[in-house]
Amino acid sequence: MEQLLQQIEQYKQEIAGIVPNGADALEAYRIRFLGTKGIMKSLSAEMKNVPVEQKKAFGQVLNEFKQLAESKYEDWKNSLGSGTAGKANAIDLSLPGDTLPIGTHHPITLVRDQIVHIFGRLGFSVAEGPEIEDDWHNFTALNLPENHPARDMQDTFYIHQQPDWLLRTHTSSVQARTMEKQKPPIRIICPGRVYRNETISARAHCFFHQTEGLYVDENVSFADLKQTLYFFVQEMFGKDVKVRFRPSYFPFTEPSAEMDINCRICGGSGCSVCKHTGWVEILGSGMVHPKMLENFGIDSNKYTGFAFGMGIERICQLKYRINDLRLYSQNDVRFLQQFTGAV
Ligand code: DAH
C-alpha cells in the first residue's frame, strides 16, 4: 500500500511537469496513462491486493489520480484543437481554398433577360400567366372561336380529364389575361414557356419559349410597332441588322405582319438556317384586332394597340449560332458552360 501511494505521488508529479506539445506526444501520454494496458488500468488491478480496511482510502486516492490524469488529457487535447501546436488538428491557414464549381445561366435565360431589359428601357413591364391555360384565354378571347381553322396550326396538348384545359400554345394568352384586369395604357412583355405537340427534331420541340409584347393606348400606330421592333433587333443584334416586314395573318391582329432579319449565321449568303434565302423570320405582329379590345371592354374607337410574339430559342440561335434546338434541353454541360459570362 505504502509503495503504491508513493508510486502514485511520483506519477502525479510527472504529470504536473509535462508541458503539452504536439498530437503525437498527447497520444503517447494517453496510451501510457489511460490506455487499456496503461498505468491507470494496472493501478486499478492492484485493488485486489490491498487489505480490506484500506480499500476505501486507496480507492479515493486512485480516483483523484484518475481525474487528474484525465483532466490533463482533456486540457491538452483542447489546446491542440484551437492552437497551432499540434499537427493533426491544427488548421493551416496558408493552404489554398477549395474552388467550388460556379454554375452558368442557361442561354435561354440569358436571352430572355436581355429581351426584358431592352423592352424595359422602352417602358414595358413584365406580365405573367399560367402554363396550364383554359380554352378562352388561349384561343376564344384571341378571336379564335371553336372550329376556327387557325386552331389547327397549333398542335395543342389538351388535358385529358378537363377538355377545357390545355397547355398554352403561345404567350398570347397573357395578353388576354392582362386586358381582363388592366385598362389602357398597357405596355407589357410576357416571356414564358409554351407547348405544342410536335415531333422533337433539330428544328422543332414539344416545348419552347416565347415573348409576347402588347402596347395599348391612344394613338398607337403601325409606325410605332415598326420602330419599336426595329429598335429591339438593333439592340439585340447590332446596328447593322436589316429588317423586312411581310404581310401575314393572325386572328388577333389586323393588319398582321411577320418580321424577318438578315441571317446572322451566314450573313446573307445562304445557309440551312435561312433556307438559303438570306432572311430569317423572328416574330409575328400586328395591330390588335378591335374585336379583341371589345372582348375586354376596351373602347376600340378610343384605343388602338400593337402586339407581337417571338420565339426565344430562335433569337438565341441567331445570336449564338446554335444549330440544333435539342441542345437547349439536353443539359450537356459542355454546351451550357460556353455561356459563362456571355452577355
Ligand atoms: N401567337 C403567335 C404564335 O405563337 C405569335 C404572334 C403573332 C403573337 C402575332 C402576337 C401577334 O401577339 O400579334 O405564332
Side-chain angles (χ1 to χ4, degrees):
M1 176 72 178
E2 216 27 50
Q3 253 183 345
L4 284 172
L5 291 177
Q6 245 179 24
Q7 184 74 69
I8 289 174
E9 206 44 50
Q10 267 177 21
Y11 287 142
K12 276 184 171 174
Q13 277 171 19
E14 184 187 330
I15 290 175
I18 293 174
V19 180
N21 51 27
D24 295 344
L26 173 65
E27 182 61 3
Y29 168 88
R30 189 189 64 77
I31 293 167
R32 177 161 144 76
F33 284 96
L34 305 168
T36 41
K37 291 178 185 153
I39 288 165
M40 218 65 239
K41 273 270 146 51
S42 61
L43 286 174
S44 304
E46 292 291 341
M47 188 60 117
K48 62 179 186 304
N49 304 324
V50 173
V52 181
E53 64 279 8
Q54 288 181 318
K55 271 193 200 300
K56 192 176 170 201
F58 181 67
Q60 262 175 7
V61 173
L62 200 60
N63 235 350
E64 262 171 39
F65 174 55
K66 192 175 172 203
Q67 273 168 16
L68 177 92
E70 279 175 350
S71 71
K72 177 83 182 179
Y73 176 75
E74 288 305 321
D75 292 349
W76 190 343
K77 196 168 87 176
N78 290 341
S79 77
L80 289 186
S82 60
T84 51
K87 281 184 231 144
N89 296 328
I91 298 166
D92 183 351
L93 296 175
S94 68
L95 285 174
D98 292 336
T99 30
L100 296 174
I102 296 174
T104 57
H105 281 303
H106 193 281
I108 296 294
T109 308
L110 285 176
V111 169
R112 182 203 62 198
D113 289 351
Q114 285 177 67
I115 295 172
V116 168
H117 179 73
I118 294 168
F119 282 101
R121 286 165 52 206
L122 295 176
F124 285 76
S125 53
V126 172
E128 285 179 333
E131 290 177 21
I132 298 174
E133 194 45 283
D134 54 44
D135 187 281
W136 164 257
H137 292 99
N138 195 80
F139 289 128
T140 310
L142 301 172
N143 216 11
L144 273 144
E146 222 174 311
N147 302 322
H148 192 290
R151 282 195 180 203
D152 296 342
M153 283 167 20
Q154 308 198 343
D155 304 291
T156 311
F157 284 119
Y158 285 93
I159 304 228
H160 222 28
Q161 293 83 351
Q162 284 285 351
D164 189 43
W165 290 0
L166 45 89
L167 296 180
R168 69 178 177 193
T169 58
H170 51 185
T171 44
S172 303
S173 56
V174 188
Q175 283 193 33
R177 287 195 171 267
T178 305
M179 285 197 265
E180 207 168 53
K181 51 179 199 276
Q182 196 185 324
K183 295 301 153 219
I186 297 170
R187 212 180 317 181
I188 52 154
I189 188 103
C190 332
R193 184 173 284 182
V194 300
Y195 302 83
R196 289 185 201 179
N197 191 357
E198 302 241 18
T199 309
I200 296 170
S201 71
R203 306 180 71 92
H205 210 292
C206 60
F207 69 80
F208 54 99
H209 300 80
Q210 287 188 331
T211 296
E212 195 75 10
L214 175 69
Y215 180 20
V216 183
D217 203 348
E218 290 178 46
N219 300 319
V220 177
S221 70
F222 200 87
D224 297 323
L225 166 121
K226 283 177 85 173
Q227 192 52 42
T228 302
L229 295 176
Y230 186 43
F231 173 80
F232 165 70
V233 289
Q234 282 192 321
E235 290 298 299
M236 181 58 91
F237 295 105
K239 296 280 180 225
D240 64 323
V241 69
K242 292 195 180 68
V243 299
R244 72 177 188 189
F245 285 83
R246 285 177 292 101
S248 184
Y249 171 77
F250 298 102
F252 30 92
T253 45
E254 181 58 38
S256 304
E258 282 171 319
M259 188 170 101
D260 300 344
I261 61 171
N262 60 330
C263 183
R264 315 310 290 166
I265 309 260
C266 63
S269 58
C271 68
S272 64
V273 171
C274 63
K275 301 196 193 100
H276 301 277
T277 63
W279 293 95
V280 186
E281 183 218 317
I282 62 159
L283 56 85
S285 63
M287 300 306 291
V288 180
H289 199 294
K291 193 148 180 285
M292 271 266 303
L293 297 173
E294 298 296 338
N295 274 349
F296 298 101
I298 296 171
D299 183 353
S300 62
N301 291 315
K302 185 170 176 204
Y303 293 106
T304 49
F306 68 73
F308 58 88
M310 69 178 98
I312 300 183
E313 275 80 354
R314 172 60 62 84
I315 306 285
C316 194
Q317 167 182 47
L318 294 170
K319 189 152 174 100
Y320 298 119
R321 296 163 180 252
I322 294 164
N323 59 8
D324 191 328
L325 265 181
R326 289 168 293 195
L327 285 166
Y328 292 125
S329 51
Q330 280 166 339
N331 271 343
D332 186 334
V333 288
R334 292 168 304 176
F335 172 73
L336 297 172
Q337 273 170 352
Q338 294 179 52
F339 300 90
T340 318
V343 183

